[in-house]
Amino acid sequence: MNTRVLRYAAIVVVLAFASIASACSSDDGGDTTDGGGGATPADTSGALSITAEDFRFSPSSLTVPSGESSITVTNEGSVEHSFTLDDDSVSEDIEPGDSVTVTVDLTADAGFHCEYHPDQMTGTLSVG
């Protein structure tokens, strides 16, 4: 092979690699909404979080500060769940694959459950 062909091949390989690397590292700047039909976008700032999946909450016990707190609840299951405080002061439905951020205002421990699976999916928020 002559050097002109080798140079051309090398340039093609370098450009292909650069194109792939650029695509893998780019930030599309997309929004953080979940497309869940009116659900509040998930809070990604390190807030308290709970996952609903396979008819259980994880964790099922969470310590929250006294007063107002935000909790992100993500449904990683294949059926609709809800996050409902036992006193019904907060109740949000969560479609599979969606997340919602709920605000709770607690001065004492409170229970929570899924309205659709109340015997299986329960938990406790402990004020600490």
Side-chain angles (χ1 to χ4, degrees), residues 4 6 16 21 28 47 52-53 63-64 70 72 86 89 91 117 119 123:
R4 179 179 246 172
L6 288 176
D28 67 359
E53 181 180 20
T63 301
V64 298
S70 293
T72 299
D86 289 350
S89 62
S91 184
H117 314 100
D119 294 330

Side-chain angles (χ1 to χ4, degrees), residues 1-14:
M1 275 192 172
N2 71 32
T3 57
R4 179 179 246 172
V5 172
L6 288 176
R7 267 191 238 157
Y8 178 74
I11 290 171
V12 169
V13 168
V14 169

Side-chain angles (χ1 to χ4, degrees), residues 15-70:
L15 290 175
F17 178 75
S19 175
I20 292 169
S22 173
C24 289
S25 65
S26 70
D27 179 7
D28 67 359
D31 67 35
T32 59
T33 59
D34 60 9
T40 304
D43 182 347
T44 58
S45 66
L48 301 168
S49 63
I50 296 174
T51 300
E53 181 180 20
D54 297 331
F55 307 103
R56 65 182 172 87
F57 286 111
S58 179
S60 61
S61 180
L62 187 64
T63 301
V64 298
S66 181
E68 198 170 277
S69 299
S70 293

